[in-house]
Amino acid sequence: MASCPIFVINLEHDVVRRAHMASQCARLGLAVEFVPAVNGRQLSDTDRAAYDRDKTLRVYGVEMLDTEIGCYLSHYRLYQRMVREDIPVALILEDDVELSPAFPRIVQDLLADPQPEWQVVRLESLRRRVREPKNAKFLGRPVKALRDGELYRLGTHVLGFGAYLIRQDAARRMLDYGRHIFMPVDQTMDRYWENDILPYLVRPIPVHQRGDLASRIGARPPGRHKGQPWALRLRQRWQRLSDSIAKRLYPF
């Protein structure tokens, strides 16, 4: 796959997931580099320094888990590497996904476009309304035919970061916009009305989460909003209203 390194984010001790990804990537003829993930259960003070608790509570609505911060940093450091090593485009995979047989051809077709309009193409989505669209908003607008599907531009957020292509200009945008951590990395990128990274997705969606591999993020304790002061709740409501208006006014 010319001019496109493939990075697989994997906790070094997680040999089962590593073997899973190594096996399917080899079967599909993909040469990948395994990149050590940031272990959210062993965050350093430096790791935590970028976490903006006040903004997190206002925008995300609840404290982030340490594992969410670790996941964020794992992707963010790849963006730093893309800029540092002058990598024009990269394919980034998490280690709990299943790749369709058509996956290599889809990536080849996307990379073959000499003047792509996209900065990031998501190849997986965790959002059910995007996976099973019932109207044009969630289906998106087709922009390019591929041998095994079609590239769509969406008018809504995608959710999910299991597999995506990212160009260096988008990596630079994320380094700037996302330098303060305030929500999970996929949701940070989904805020297109602020970061100007428009959402693109391939259909049929070629990558899916493995249901038999437990999430390394972990479950959030119940009652996450319980006991929050009214002043914070008012700020959260104002933030949601502001985001809603900004999304509607964004010039797609």
Side-chain angles (χ1 to χ4, degrees), residues 17-231:
R17 291 182 178 222
R18 184 185 180 99
H20 157 66
M21 292 300 295
S23 174
Q24 67 170 332
C25 287
R27 187 170 63 250
L28 294 174
L30 302 176
V32 304
E33 176 185 342
F34 284 89
V35 178
V38 176
N39 190 338
R41 293 176 173 82
Q42 298 177 1
L43 294 179
S44 67
D45 291 341
T46 301
D47 293 334
R48 296 181 187 278
Y51 178 53
D52 188 335
R53 181 177 182 272
D54 183 68
K55 187 173 182 180
T56 296
L57 291 174
R58 173 169 50 85
V59 181
Y60 190 41
V62 66
E63 289 265 21
M64 286 179 64
L65 300 173
D66 284 355
T67 48
E68 290 176 315
I69 295 173
C71 178
Y72 188 108
L73 291 171
S74 299
H75 289 265
Y76 192 84
R77 290 175 184 176
L78 281 176
Y79 307 151
Q80 292 175 318
R81 179 174 170 182
M82 288 181 68
V83 172
R84 183 174 64 250
E85 298 181 10
D86 195 23
I87 299 172
V89 60
L91 174 59
I92 299 178
L93 304 174
E94 294 185 340
D95 63 1
D96 58 349
V97 296
E98 193 69 32
L99 310 176
S100 77
F103 181 76
R105 292 190 301 272
I106 289 170
V107 175
Q108 288 171 354
D109 287 353
L110 291 168
L111 293 176
D113 190 342
Q115 293 184 312
E117 66 175 70
W118 53 268
Q119 294 176 303
V120 175
V121 177
R122 311 281 269 275
L123 301 163
E124 174 249 14
S125 174
L126 297 180
R127 196 177 183 197
R128 183 173 180 179
R129 286 187 288 183
V130 170
R131 295 198 312 268
E132 304 169 12
K134 292 181 170 55
N135 57 47
K137 174 183 177 181
F138 296 104
L139 175 65
R141 173 176 60 84
V143 297
K144 182 178 177 61
L146 310 172
R147 284 176 291 175
D148 298 277
E150 201 153 14
L151 177 64
Y152 283 78
R153 178 169 165 175
L154 273 62
T156 185
H157 62 278
V158 181
L159 195 63
F161 238 29
Y164 61 103
L165 276 169
I166 179 169
R167 292 167 55 195
Q168 190 183 117
D169 54 349
R172 290 182 182 275
R173 286 177 185 268
M174 283 294 287
L175 289 179
D176 180 39
Y177 176 71
R179 65 184 180 276
H180 298 298
I181 301 172
F182 62 94
M183 65 194 320
V185 65
D186 59 328
Q187 296 182 51
T188 302
M189 184 173 283
D190 273 335
R191 294 178 69 83
Y192 55 84
W193 61 96
E194 290 185 340
N195 59 34
D196 286 325
I197 301 174
L198 300 180
Y200 287 82
L201 178 75
V202 170
R203 298 186 184 282
I205 298 175
V207 179
H208 300 277
Q209 291 282 319
R210 284 278 300 264
D212 58 335
L213 294 175
S215 170
R216 289 294 180 257
I217 299 296
R220 188 176 299 280
R224 63 179 190 167
H225 296 290
K226 187 176 180 180
Q228 289 185 338
W230 275 108

